[in-house]
Coordinates of all heavy atoms in Angstrom, one line a residue:
F305 N 198.5 62.7 58.6 CA 198.9 63.9 57.9 C 198.2 63.8 56.5 O 197.6 64.8 56.0 CB 200.4 63.9 57.7 CG 200.9 65.2 57.1 CD1 201.3 66.3 57.9 CD2 201.0 65.4 55.7 CE1 201.8 67.4 57.3 CE2 201.4 66.5 55.1 CZ 201.8 67.6 55.9
A306 N 198.3 62.7 55.8 CA 197.7 62.6 54.5 C 196.2 62.7 54.5 O 195.6 63.4 53.7 CB 198.1 61.2 53.9
A307 N 195.5 62.1 55.5 CA 194.1 62.1 55.6 C 193.6 63.5 55.9 O 192.6 64.0 55.4 CB 193.5 61.1 56.6
L308 N 194.3 64.2 56.8 CA 193.9 65.6 57.2 C 194.1 66.5 56.0 O 193.4 67.5 55.9 CB 194.8 66.1 58.4 CG 194.4 65.5 59.8 CD1 195.4 65.9 60.8 CD2 193.0 66.0 60.1
F309 N 195.1 66.3 55.2 CA 195.4 67.1 54.0 C 194.2 67.0 53.1 O 193.7 68.0 52.5 CB 196.7 66.7 53.3 CG 197.1 67.6 52.2 CD1 197.6 68.9 52.4 CD2 196.8 67.3 50.9 CE1 198.0 69.7 51.4 CE2 197.1 68.1 49.8 CZ 197.7 69.3 50.1
V310 N 193.8 65.8 52.8 CA 192.6 65.6 51.9 C 191.3 66.2 52.6 O 190.6 66.9 51.9 CB 192.4 64.1 51.7 CG1 191.1 63.8 50.9 CG2 193.5 63.5 51.0
Y311 N 191.2 66.0 53.8 CA 190.1 66.6 54.6 C 190.1 68.2 54.4 O 189.0 68.8 54.2 CB 190.2 66.2 56.0 CG 189.2 66.9 57.0 CD1 187.8 66.7 56.9 CD2 189.7 67.6 58.1 CE1 187.0 67.2 57.8 CE2 188.8 68.2 59.0 CZ 187.4 68.0 58.8 OH 186.6 68.6 59.7
M312 N 191.2 68.8 54.5 CA 191.3 70.2 54.4 C 190.8 70.7 53.0 O 190.1 71.6 52.9 CB 192.8 70.7 54.6 CG 193.0 72.1 54.4 SD 194.8 72.5 54.6 CE 195.4 71.8 53.1
L313 N 191.2 69.9 52.0 CA 190.9 70.3 50.6 C 189.4 70.2 50.3 O 188.8 70.8 49.4 CB 191.7 69.4 49.6 CG 193.2 69.6 49.6 CD1 193.8 68.7 48.6 CD2 193.6 71.0 49.3
M314 N 188.7 69.3 51.1 CA 187.3 69.1 50.9 C 186.4 70.2 51.4 O 185.2 70.3 51.0 CB 186.8 67.8 51.5 CG 187.4 66.5 50.8 SD 186.6 65.0 51.4 CE 187.4 64.8 53.0
Q315 N 186.9 71.0 52.3 CA 186.1 72.0 52.9 C 185.4 73.0 52.0 O 184.2 73.2 52.0 CB 186.9 72.8 54.0 CG 187.6 72.0 55.0 CD 186.6 71.1 55.9 OE1 185.6 71.6 56.3 NE2 187.0 69.9 56.1
P316 N 186.2 73.7 51.1 CA 185.5 74.6 50.1 C 184.5 74.0 49.2 O 183.5 74.6 48.9 CB 186.7 75.2 49.4 CG 187.9 74.9 50.2 CD 187.6 73.6 50.9
A317 N 184.8 72.7 48.8 CA 183.9 72.1 47.9 C 182.5 71.9 48.6 O 181.4 72.1 48.0 CB 184.5 70.8 47.4
V318 N 182.5 71.4 49.8 CA 181.3 71.2 50.5 C 180.6 72.5 50.9 O 179.4 72.6 50.8 CB 181.6 70.3 51.8 CG1 180.3 70.1 52.6 CG2 182.1 68.9 51.4
G319 N 181.4 73.5 51.2 CA 180.8 74.8 51.5 C 180.1 75.3 50.3 O 179.0 75.9 50.4
A320 N 180.7 75.2 49.1 CA 180.1 75.7 47.9 C 178.8 74.9 47.5 O 177.9 75.4 47.1 CB 181.1 75.6 46.7
L321 N 178.9 73.6 47.9 CA 177.7 72.7 47.6 C 176.5 73.2 48.5 O 175.4 73.2 48.0 CB 178.0 71.3 48.0 CG 176.9 70.2 47.8 CD1 176.5 70.1 46.4 CD2 177.3 68.9 48.4
S322 N 176.8 73.6 49.7 CA 175.7 74.1 50.6 C 175.1 75.4 50.0 O 174.0 75.7 50.3 CB 176.2 74.3 52.0 OG 177.0 75.5 52.1
D323 N 175.9 76.2 49.3 CA 175.4 77.4 48.7 C 174.4 77.1 47.6 O 173.4 77.8 47.3 CB 176.5 78.2 48.1 CG 177.3 78.9 49.1 OD1 176.8 79.3 50.2 OD2 178.5 79.1 48.9
R324 N 174.5 75.9 47.0 CA 173.6 75.5 45.9 C 172.4 74.7 46.4 O 171.3 74.9 45.9 CB 174.4 74.6 44.9 CG 175.5 75.3 44.2 CD 176.3 74.4 43.2 NE 175.4 74.0 42.1 CZ 175.1 74.6 41.0 NH1 175.7 75.8 40.8 NH2 174.3 74.1 40.1
I325 N 172.6 73.8 47.3 CA 171.5 72.9 47.7 C 171.0 73.3 49.1 O 169.9 72.7 49.5 CB 171.9 71.4 47.7 CG1 172.9 71.1 48.7 CG2 172.4 71.1 46.3 CD1 173.2 69.6 48.8
G326 N 171.6 74.1 49.9 CA 171.2 74.5 51.2 C 172.0 73.9 52.3 O 172.8 72.9 52.0
R327 N 171.9 74.4 53.5 CA 172.7 73.9 54.6 C 172.2 72.6 55.2 O 172.9 71.7 55.5 CB 172.8 74.9 55.8 CG 172.9 76.4 55.3 CD 174.2 76.7 54.6 NE 174.3 78.1 54.4 CZ 174.9 78.6 53.3 NH1 175.5 77.9 52.4 NH2 174.9 80.0 53.2
R328 N 170.8 72.5 55.3 CA 170.3 71.3 55.9 C 170.6 70.0 55.2 O 170.9 69.0 55.9 CB 168.7 71.5 56.1 CG 168.4 72.6 57.0 CD 166.8 72.7 57.1 NE 166.2 71.7 58.0 CZ 165.2 71.0 57.6 NH1 164.7 71.1 56.4 NH2 164.7 70.1 58.5
P329 N 170.5 69.9 53.9 CA 170.8 68.6 53.2 C 172.2 68.2 53.5 O 172.5 67.0 53.7 CB 170.6 68.9 51.7 CG 169.6 70.0 51.7 CD 169.9 70.9 52.9
V330 N 173.2 69.1 53.6 CA 174.6 68.8 53.9 C 174.7 68.3 55.3 O 175.4 67.3 55.6 CB 175.5 70.0 53.6 CG1 176.9 69.6 54.0 CG2 175.4 70.4 52.1
M331 N 174.0 69.0 56.2 CA 174.1 68.6 57.6 C 173.4 67.2 57.8 O 173.8 66.4 58.7 CB 173.4 69.6 58.5 CG 174.2 70.9 58.7 SD 175.8 70.7 59.6 CE 175.2 70.3 61.2
F332 N 172.3 66.9 57.1 CA 171.7 65.6 57.2 C 172.6 64.5 56.6 O 172.7 63.4 57.2 CB 170.4 65.6 56.4 CG 169.2 66.1 57.1 CD1 168.4 67.1 56.5 CD2 168.9 65.7 58.4 CE1 167.3 67.6 57.2 CE2 167.8 66.1 59.1 CZ 167.0 67.1 58.5
A333 N 173.4 64.8 55.6 CA 174.4 63.9 55.1 C 175.4 63.6 56.1 O 175.8 62.4 56.3 CB 175.0 64.4 53.8
F334 N 175.9 64.6 56.8 CA 176.9 64.4 57.9 C 176.3 63.5 59.0 O 176.9 62.5 59.3 CB 177.4 65.7 58.4 CG 177.8 65.6 59.9 CD1 179.0 64.9 60.2 CD2 177.1 66.2 60.9 CE1 179.4 64.8 61.5 CE2 177.5 66.1 62.2 CZ 178.6 65.4 62.5
S335 N 175.2 64.0 59.6 CA 174.7 63.4 60.8 C 174.1 62.0 60.5 O 174.4 61.0 61.2 CB 173.6 64.2 61.4 OG 172.6 64.6 60.5
G336 N 173.4 61.8 59.3 CA 172.9 60.5 59.0 C 174.0 59.6 58.6 O 174.0 58.4 59.1
G337 N 175.0 60.0 57.9 CA 176.1 59.1 57.5 C 176.9 58.7 58.7 O 177.2 57.5 58.8
C338 N 177.2 59.6 59.6 CA 178.0 59.2 60.8 C 177.2 58.3 61.8 O 177.8 57.5 62.4 CB 178.5 60.5 61.5 SG 179.9 61.3 60.7
M339 N 175.9 58.6 61.8 CA 175.1 57.7 62.7 C 175.1 56.2 62.2 O 175.2 55.3 62.9 CB 173.6 58.2 62.7 CG 173.4 59.4 63.6 SD 171.7 60.1 63.4 CE 170.8 58.7 64.0
L340 N 175.1 56.1 60.8 CA 175.1 54.7 60.3 C 176.5 54.1 60.2 O 176.6 52.9 60.3 CB 174.5 54.8 58.8 CG 173.0 55.1 58.7 CD1 172.7 55.3 57.3 CD2 172.2 54.0 59.3
L341 N 177.5 54.9 60.0 CA 178.9 54.4 59.7 C 179.9 54.4 60.9 O 180.9 53.7 60.7 CB 179.4 55.1 58.5 CG 178.7 55.0 57.2 CD1 179.4 55.9 56.1 CD2 178.7 53.5 56.7
T342 N 179.6 55.1 61.9 CA 180.6 55.2 63.0 C 181.0 53.9 63.6 O 182.2 53.5 63.7 CB 180.1 56.2 64.1 OG1 180.1 57.5 63.6 CG2 181.1 56.1 65.3
V343 N 180.0 53.1 63.9 CA 180.3 51.8 64.6 C 181.1 50.8 63.6 O 182.1 50.3 63.9 CB 179.0 51.1 65.1 CG1 179.3 49.7 65.6 CG2 178.4 51.9 66.2
P344 N 180.6 50.6 62.4 CA 181.4 49.8 61.5 C 182.7 50.3 61.1 O 183.7 49.6 61.0 CB 180.5 49.6 60.2 CG 179.5 50.7 60.3 CD 179.3 51.0 61.8
L345 N 182.8 51.7 60.9 CA 184.1 52.2 60.5 C 185.1 52.1 61.6 O 186.3 51.7 61.4 CB 184.0 53.7 60.2 CG 183.5 54.1 58.8 CD1 183.3 55.6 58.6 CD2 184.5 53.6 57.7

Side-chain angles (χ1 to χ4, degrees):
F305 188 94
L308 284 173
F309 185 79
V310 175
Y311 173 62
M312 178 184 70
L313 297 179
M314 288 190 287
Q315 306 299 315
V318 175
L321 178 65
S322 76
D323 287 327
R324 295 181 62 88
I325 67 173
R327 319 296 184 212
R328 293 179 78 232
V330 177
M331 289 294 291
F332 277 130
F334 151 69
S335 53
C338 284
M339 285 172 64
L340 292 173
L341 295 177
T342 291
V343 174
L345 278 176

